[in-house]
């Protein structure tokens, strides 16, 4: 339920019924797995993978067909907003680029730096979040603030 697959209007009853089966199928669809509604080894492995956030990742279906944000073999544009003055621009941009290349290699997509933010699917921004309290959900978690960019 926390990640958006189980309807919030349904009671959790501990029974693997039709509502749970649909939730599993939705998760499998989002994860690129065969949608059979069976929580087999691959599905369980992905469900139990540690996460760096608590935000729902289920995409809402619209009038268009369900779209995955990143498609294997596709190209995703990213844009880096102005860097803080205390960072060496060349080193910081090289490190950001390397992180995207590693991420792309793991996901099977190509990340390409865009010269404009208008066409970029991902935008990297830097902000001073030092004034946020520790219990705020907006502070950096494991994976760093870039993981929430």
């Amino acid at each position: 339920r926390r990640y958006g697959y189980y309807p919030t209007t349904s009671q959790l009853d501990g029974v693997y019924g039709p509502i749970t089966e649909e939730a599993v199928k939705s998760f499998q669809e989002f994860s690129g797995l065969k949608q059979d509604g069976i929580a087999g080894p691959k599905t369980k492995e992905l469900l139990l993978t540690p996460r760096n956030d608590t935000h729902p990742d289920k995409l809402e279906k619209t009038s268009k067909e369900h779209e995955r944000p990143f498609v294997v073999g596709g190209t995703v544009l990213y844009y880096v907003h102005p860097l803080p003055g205390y960072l060496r621009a060349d080193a910081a941009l090289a490190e950001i680029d390397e992180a995207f290349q590693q991420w792309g290699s793991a996901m099977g997509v190509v990340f390409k730096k865009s010269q404009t933010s208008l066409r970029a699917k991902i935008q990297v921004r830097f902000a001073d979040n030092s004034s946020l309290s520790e219990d705020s959900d907006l502070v950096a978690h494991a994976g760093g603030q870039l993981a929430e960019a």
Side-chain angles (χ1 to χ4, degrees), residues 58-136:
K58 182 173 185 285
L59 297 177
E60 295 298 321
K61 292 188 179 187
T62 62
S63 58
K64 295 192 306 182
E65 229 6 74
H66 177 73
E67 293 180 19
R68 295 189 65 181
F70 307 115
V71 179
V72 174
T75 298
V76 179
L77 296 178
Y78 71 92
Y79 178 76
V80 181
H81 286 267
L83 299 171
Y86 58 84
L87 292 177
R88 274 191 28 231
D90 57 339
L93 291 172
E95 191 166 332
I96 291 169
D97 184 60
E98 175 62 24
F100 274 108
Q101 300 319 309
Q102 288 180 17
W103 186 22
S105 177
M107 293 177 56
V109 299
V110 174
F111 286 99
K112 184 177 175 186
K113 186 175 177 192
S114 175
Q115 298 304 312
T116 174
S117 64
L118 298 175
R119 296 180 56 215
K121 269 220 184 267
I122 299 175
Q123 298 191 26
V124 179
R125 289 187 172 91
F126 291 82
D128 180 3
N129 291 332
S130 58
S131 63
L132 297 175
S133 71
E134 285 191 22
D135 8 313
S136 170

Side-chain angles (χ1 to χ4, degrees), residues 13-75:
D13 58 8
V15 176
Y16 194 95
I19 295 172
T20 305
E21 183 178 357
E22 282 306 310
V24 170
K25 285 181 180 179
S26 292
F27 176 77
Q28 290 170 328
E29 178 183 13
F30 181 82
S31 301
L33 300 173
K34 176 182 170 191
Q35 299 167 45
D36 58 10
I38 299 169
K42 288 181 182 178
T43 301
K44 285 180 185 176
E45 179 183 353
L46 287 175
L47 281 169
L48 297 174
T49 299
R51 297 180 59 126
N52 293 324
D53 67 19
T54 57
H55 305 293
D57 55 13
K58 182 173 185 285
L59 297 177
E60 295 298 321
K61 292 188 179 187
T62 62
S63 58
K64 295 192 306 182
E65 229 6 74
H66 177 73
E67 293 180 19
R68 295 189 65 181
F70 307 115
V71 179
V72 174
T75 298

